[in-house]
Amino acid sequence: MGHTWGYAISSFFSLTSHHCFLHPLTLLCMIFLLCSTTCHSIDIHPQDKVSLLCFKSWIQDPDQVLSSWGSSNNNCTNWNGITCDNTGHVLLVNLTSMNLSGQIHPSFCNLSYLEKVDFSHNNFTCPLPVCFGNLLGLRTVDLSHNRFHGGVPDSFVRLKQLTELVLSGNPDLGGPIPGWIGNFSAYLERLQLGFCSFNGMIPDSLVYLKSLNYLDLENNLLSGNLVDFHQPLVLLNLASNRFSGTLPCFSAAIKSLTVLNLSNNSIVGGIPACIASLEVLSHLNLSGNHLKYRISPRLVFSEKLLVLDLSNNGLSGPIPGKIAETTEKQGLVLLDLSHNQFSGEIPLKITELKSLQALFLSHNLLSGEIPARIGNLTYLEVIDLSHNSLSGTIPLNIVGCFQLLALILNNNNLSGVIQPEFDALDSLKILDISNNRFSGDIPLTLAGCKSLEIVDFSSNDLSGSLNDAITKWTNLRYLSLAQNKFSGTLPSWLFTFQAIEMMDFSHNKFSGFIPDVNVKGSSLFNSRDLTVKEPTGATRNVQLRVSVIVSDNNQSSFTYNLSSMVGIDLSNNLLHGEIPRGLFGLAGLQYLNLSSNFLDGQLPGLQKMQSLKALDLSHNSLSGHIPGNISSLQGLDTLNLSYNCFSGSVPQKQGYGRFPGAFAGNPDLCLESSGGGCEDGRVSSEQGSFFGEDRMDGPISVGIFFISTFISFDVGVVVLFCSTRARNYILRTKV
C-alpha cells in the first residue's frame, strides 16, 4: 500500500509542476486527504474476526484466496473480500468467483452489522443458511451460480431491509416460491431466481410488490396463466417456464419497462397492439410460444426498441410494412421473425431500418425477390432468409452490407450466377446458398472472401472445375459442393486446409485420381484429440447455429456453433485409380465415403484410423484381401465394402462380425461362418450395415453419405466391374 501511495504522490507532484501552480495550503490539504484515505487502517472487530475464521475453517480454498485471513492479521483492509465500518465491524463480504466450496459455518451469521454478502460464482454445496434470517441489516444477498439446494428458508422473512435477493444459477434450488416473498421487505427492488427448479405459480404478493423493479424467473418449472403486474417494472424475464394464457398489456410499466422476455412458454392468442405502447421498451422476446394470427398494423414500436424476437410461433399473414420507428441514430438492431407462417413479399420498409445488424426471416412462406435496396443496411452482420420460396437473384446491391458476417439463403428458388462482385464481402464467414437453382462457376474473384469458414454451395446447378480461389479461404471449416455439375480433376491442394472439418464433393462429375493427403493438412484430420462436437442421432446431421446477442451499448455480438463430423465425402463421381494411402493414416477422420466411383487397387490397413465411425467404399473395383484385424476400431459403427472385387476370407474374430452385410456383392470373398465354413460373398445379407441417404433440415443442407441404387444390381454386373476393359468403357460413358 505504501508503494502505491508513494507513486500517487510523485505523480501528483509531477502534474502540478508541469501544468499549474497550487497554493501551498491547498497542496497541503490535498496531501492530507490522500494520506488519510490510503494510510488509515481499521482493526477488525474481535468477534467478527472469530466468526470469519470459523467460516474459513469449513471452506475449501484451492487457490488460497483467503490466505490473508489470519489470526495474526488484525487490519480489516488486508482481509481479502472484507469491508469494515469505522468501528471494525464487517459490513460487506464479497467472495465472488474465488473457486470456493464447502458449507457455510453458522458463526458467519454472527456478523450482526453485515449489509451485503456476495458468494456468487463459487461451488458451495449446502442448503441456504437458515441463520441468514438473523442478519437483520442485510440489504443485498447474492448466492447465485453455486450448488445450493433445497428451498428458500422461511427465516428470510425477517430480512426487512433487503433490496436485492439473487439466487439464480442454483439448479437444485427449488420448491414453490414462498408466498411471503412479496411481503417481507418493502424495499425489495431486485429478485433473481433464474435457472433454478422453482415450481408452482407466481405468488400474488409478488405481483403487487410496489418496490419491485427487476424480476428474473427464467428457466424454472413455473406454471399458471400469465398475469399482469401492478408495479413499474424495468425488467421482466419469465422465459423458459410453463406459463400459459394470453399476453397482458403491462400497463403499470408503460413508462418503465425496458426488457420483456416471455420466450419459450405456452402463451396463446395474438400480440395485442397495446404492447407497442410500452414507451421505453428496448428488448422484446416472445419467441417459442403458441402465438397466432396476423400482426396488427397498429403494432408499431418506438425507435427505442433494439431487439424484437417473435420467432418460433404460428404468426401468419404479411410482415407488416412498418414494425418499428427508426431514426438516423436509433432503431432496431435485431429482428427475428423466423419459424412462423408469414407470407407475401419481404416489405421494402425493412430496408429503412438503418441500425439493423441481424435479420432472421427463415422458415416462413415468403415469396418474391430479395429487396434490391437491402444494401442500404450497412450495419448488417447476419442475413438469414433460408427455407422460404424466394425467387430471382441475389441483388448486387447486397455488397453494400460490407460488414456482413453470415449470408444464409439456402432452400429457396433463387437462381442466376454467383456475381464476381461479391468479393467485396470480405468479412463474410458463412455463405450458404445450397438447395437453390444457381448456375455457372465459382468466380475467381471470390478469392477476396478470405474470412470464409462455412461454405455450402450444394444442390444447385453449378459447374466448371475447381479454381484456386478456394485456396484463399484459409480459415475454411466446412465446404460442400455436393449435388452439382462440377467436373475436372481434384486439385493437389484439396486436403491442405488447416481447420477443415467436413469436405463434401459428392454427386458431381469429378474425374481423375484422388490427390494424396498432405501430412501438413487439416489438424483435425490428423489429430485424435478432437474438439468437434459429435452430432447425435442416426442421421449424423450437420447443424449450424448462428447466435447474435445485443449488448447494453446497442452492439451485437456474432457467434456460431458448427456441429459436424470430421469427414470426407467424394462419393458418386468418376474418380479412378488407387486410394491414396495417406487417407488411411488420418487418425482424426471420423467419416470417409468414396463409394460409387471407379477406384481400384488394394485396401490398406485401417488400424491408424482410430477415430473412424463410418466407412463406405462400396460400388468400386477394389480388389485383394480385406485388411487385417479392425477390433481396435471401437468407434466404428458403419462399414460398407459391398460390390467390389475383394477376395480371400473374412474371419469373424477380427471385428468384421459386427457388419454382416458389409461384404455383399464380392463373389470371390469368403465370409467365415460361425461353424468355420464359408458364406458366399455373392449373397447379400438382409442385415447390411450401410449408410443411408442422410439429408438434413438445417441451415446447411448437404447429404453426407449416400448409398447408390446400384445396390440392387446382380452379381453378373459386379463381375463385369472387376474386368479392367469393361471398367474403362463404363468410365468413358458414365454421365
Side-chain angles (χ1 to χ4, degrees):
M1 182 66 73
H3 175 75
T4 305
W5 176 77
Y7 174 79
I9 292 293
S10 64
S11 299
F12 173 75
F13 276 116
S14 175
L15 286 171
T16 56
S17 62
H18 283 85
H19 295 282
C20 60
F21 175 77
L22 294 178
H23 192 277
L25 184 59
T26 304
L27 183 61
L28 186 62
C29 291
M30 295 182 70
I31 293 174
F32 174 77
L33 289 171
L34 182 61
C35 184
S36 66
T37 58
T38 56
C39 303
H40 181 59
S41 65
I42 300 172
D43 284 347
I44 192 169
H45 192 279
Q47 183 178 349
D48 286 3
K49 180 178 179 181
V50 170
S51 297
L52 288 175
L53 290 176
C54 288
F55 168 76
K56 179 184 176 183
S57 69
W58 280 20
I59 299 300
Q60 285 78 54
D61 179 17
D63 300 331
Q64 297 296 304
V65 293
L66 303 183
S67 59
S68 59
W69 295 20
S71 56
S72 60
N73 182 9
N74 293 321
N75 188 351
C76 179
T77 58
N78 291 336
W79 282 51
N80 190 17
I82 303 300
T83 301
C84 299
D85 64 10
N86 291 332
T87 65
H89 286 101
V90 175
L91 294 180
L92 186 152
V93 178
N94 184 1
L95 304 181
T96 183
S97 303
M98 291 188 176
N99 195 26
L100 304 175
S101 60
Q103 300 190 6
I104 297 174
H105 195 287
S107 293
F108 183 85
C109 298
N110 293 331
L111 301 172
S112 56
Y113 284 74
L114 195 62
E115 294 182 359
K116 179 177 180 178
V117 55
D118 188 348
F119 291 164
S120 63
H121 296 277
N122 283 290
N123 294 294
F124 289 104
T125 53
C126 59
L128 297 180
V130 174
C131 67
F132 268 31
N134 300 329
L135 300 172
L136 302 182
L138 274 178
R139 297 181 182 275
T140 300
V141 174
D142 189 346
L143 307 179
S144 61
H145 301 285
N146 280 278
R147 289 185 288 165
F148 289 107
H149 54 84
V152 179
D154 287 339
S155 61
F156 279 36
V157 76
R158 298 197 293 268
L159 303 178
K160 304 295 185 182
Q161 306 299 315
L162 202 64
T163 61
E164 296 185 18
L165 179 58
V166 183
L167 304 177
S168 53
N170 288 283
D172 295 324
L173 189 65
I177 298 176
W180 49 259
I181 198 75
N183 295 330
F184 77 106
S185 172
Y187 304 102
L188 189 65
E189 297 177 1
R190 183 184 297 268
L191 179 62
Q192 294 180 220
L193 306 179
F195 293 90
C196 293
S197 298
F198 290 100
N199 56 41
M201 301 174 67
I202 298 176
D204 287 342
S205 62
L206 203 57
V207 175
Y208 291 93
L209 179 60
K210 294 298 182 183
S211 60
L212 193 63
N213 295 141
Y214 298 86
L215 179 59
D216 184 355
L217 304 178
E218 180 179 3
N219 211 305
N220 279 280
L221 304 171
L222 299 169
S223 58
N225 280 338
L226 192 62
V227 296
D228 205 347
F229 286 78
H230 295 266
Q231 63 271 87
L233 290 170
V234 175
L235 178 146
L236 178 60
N237 185 0
L238 305 180
S240 300
N241 280 283
R242 300 171 180 176
F243 293 113
S244 55
T246 58
L247 278 173
C249 288
F250 303 103
S251 53
I254 193 170
K255 295 183 180 297
S256 60
L257 194 60
T258 60
V259 176
L260 178 59
N261 187 356
L262 305 176
S263 61
N264 298 311
N265 281 285
S266 299
I267 303 170
V268 298
I271 301 176
C274 60
I275 291 290
S277 301
L278 298 170
E279 296 177 3
V280 293
L281 193 64
S282 63
H283 291 67
L284 176 61
N285 189 347
L286 303 177
S287 64
N289 281 285
H290 304 303
L291 298 171
K292 293 184 178 181
Y293 312 122
R294 297 183 174 216
I295 294 180
S296 169
R298 295 187 292 115
L299 188 73
V300 180
F301 295 94
S302 78
E303 71 279 0
K304 292 184 173 62
L305 190 67
L306 305 177
V307 174
L308 178 59
D309 189 349
L310 305 179
S311 63
N312 290 280
N313 280 288
L315 299 168
S316 58
I319 296 175
K322 187 174 186 180
I323 203 164
E325 301 287 351
T326 184
T327 66
E328 287 296 324
K329 297 183 178 179
Q330 201 169 15
L332 272 177
V333 173
L334 183 149
L335 176 61
D336 191 347
L337 304 179
S338 64
H339 293 270
N340 278 286
Q341 298 175 28
F342 289 113
S343 57
E345 298 186 351
I346 299 174
L348 291 176
K349 286 282 187 180
I350 280 184
T351 63
E352 297 178 6
L353 300 173
K354 298 296 181 64
S355 302
L356 202 61
Q357 297 177 32
L359 176 63
F360 296 93
L361 301 179
S362 68
H363 293 84
N364 278 289
L365 306 173
L366 299 174
S367 57
E369 299 187 357
I370 301 173
R373 290 185 293 177
I374 197 166
N376 295 350
L377 303 177
T378 55
Y379 292 105
L380 264 182
E381 295 182 356
V382 178
I383 299 175
D384 185 355
L385 308 179
S386 63
H387 293 271
N388 280 288
S389 298
L390 299 173
S391 57
T393 63
I394 303 175
L396 191 57
N397 176 268
I398 204 169
V399 299
C401 306
F402 61 92
Q403 300 186 60
L404 202 60
L405 300 174
L407 179 59
I408 304 172
L409 304 175
N410 60 284
N411 290 84
N412 279 287
N413 293 318
L414 299 170
S415 58
V417 300
I418 302 174
Q419 299 287 349
E421 290 82 0
F422 290 167
D423 67 329
L425 301 174
D426 54 3
S427 298
L428 202 61
K429 293 179 181 290
I430 299 173
L431 177 57
D432 185 357
I433 60 171
S434 62
N435 285 279
N436 280 286
R437 294 187 288 114
F438 290 105
S439 57
D441 57 6
I442 300 175
L444 277 168
T445 55
L446 285 195
C449 299
K450 296 180 180 179
S451 301
L452 279 171
E453 298 177 10
I454 311 291
V455 177
D456 192 346
F457 291 166
S458 64
S459 298
N460 280 285
D461 293 318
L462 297 170
S463 58
S465 59
L466 299 185
N467 60 54
D468 290 345
I470 299 176
T471 63
K472 305 301 181 182
W473 305 341
T474 54
N475 299 318
L476 203 59
R477 295 180 58 192
Y478 181 97
L479 175 61
S480 178
L481 306 179
Q483 300 205 43
N484 279 285
K485 298 176 181 177
F486 290 108
S487 58
T489 58
L490 295 176
S492 59
W493 45 257
L494 189 63
F495 300 120
T496 60
F497 298 98
Q498 289 292 312
I500 196 73
E501 297 172 25
M502 183 66 205
M503 183 177 291
D504 188 353
F505 291 177
S506 64
H507 293 268
N508 280 285
K509 298 179 181 179
F510 290 114
S511 58
F513 300 96
I514 300 174
D516 205 353
V517 176
N518 188 332
V519 293
K520 296 182 180 180
S522 169
S523 57
L524 287 166
F525 282 174
N526 284 291
S527 173
R528 288 191 61 197
D529 184 21
L530 295 175
T531 57
V532 179
K533 180 181 178 183
E534 181 185 340
T536 58
T539 57
R540 300 185 179 89
N541 289 343
V542 180
Q543 296 179 343
L544 176 67
R545 181 177 179 82
V546 174
S547 301
V548 177
I549 299 174
V550 179
S551 60
D552 292 336
N553 62 359
N554 302 355
Q555 293 299 310
S556 63
S557 173
F558 165 83
T559 58
Y560 75 87
N561 179 42
L562 175 67
S563 178
S564 170
M565 67 290 293
V566 178
I568 298 171
D569 190 349
L570 303 178
S571 64
N572 285 274
N573 279 286
L574 305 174
L575 301 171
H576 60 89
E578 295 188 0
I579 302 173
R581 288 186 172 269
L583 276 179
F584 295 97
L586 299 177
L589 198 66
Q590 294 176 309
Y591 301 95
L592 178 61
N593 188 4
L594 305 179
S595 65
S596 298
N597 280 287
F598 298 96
L599 301 171
D600 54 29
Q602 296 189 359
L603 186 62
L606 307 177
Q607 287 81 2
K608 293 182 180 179
M609 305 181 76
Q610 290 298 307
S611 302
L612 193 64
K613 297 183 180 299
L615 175 65
D616 189 351
L617 304 179
S618 64
H619 293 283
N620 281 288
S621 299
L622 301 172
S623 58
H625 294 285
I626 297 293
N629 202 328
I630 62 167
S631 299
S632 62
L633 304 181
Q634 296 297 321
L636 187 65
D637 56 24
T638 305
L639 177 67
N640 190 358
L641 303 179
S642 65
Y643 295 94
N644 277 285
C645 305
F646 291 114
S647 58
S649 63
V650 182
Q652 286 274 351
K653 296 181 180 180
Q654 293 190 0
Y656 288 105
R658 293 179 290 154
F659 311 104
F663 309 101
N666 286 278
D668 296 327
L669 195 61
C670 169
L671 308 180
E672 186 181 274
S673 65
S674 56
C678 280
E679 295 179 1
D680 193 345
R682 302 184 187 196
V683 181
S684 174
S685 170
E686 294 181 358
Q687 300 177 353
S689 298
F690 303 120
F691 295 105
E693 182 176 355
D694 289 337
R695 307 299 301 168
M696 59 174 210
D697 185 19
I700 297 182
S701 300
V702 57
I704 304 305
F705 294 110
F706 178 84
I707 280 297
S708 170
T709 54
F710 290 172
I711 199 167
S712 62
F713 280 18
D714 61 25
V715 174
V717 176
V718 176
V719 175
L720 178 64
F721 266 63
C722 295
S723 162
T724 303
R725 181 177 178 183
R727 185 172 64 249
N728 290 337
Y729 172 76
I730 295 173
L731 179 61
R732 290 195 302 269
T733 59
K734 184 178 178 181
V735 292

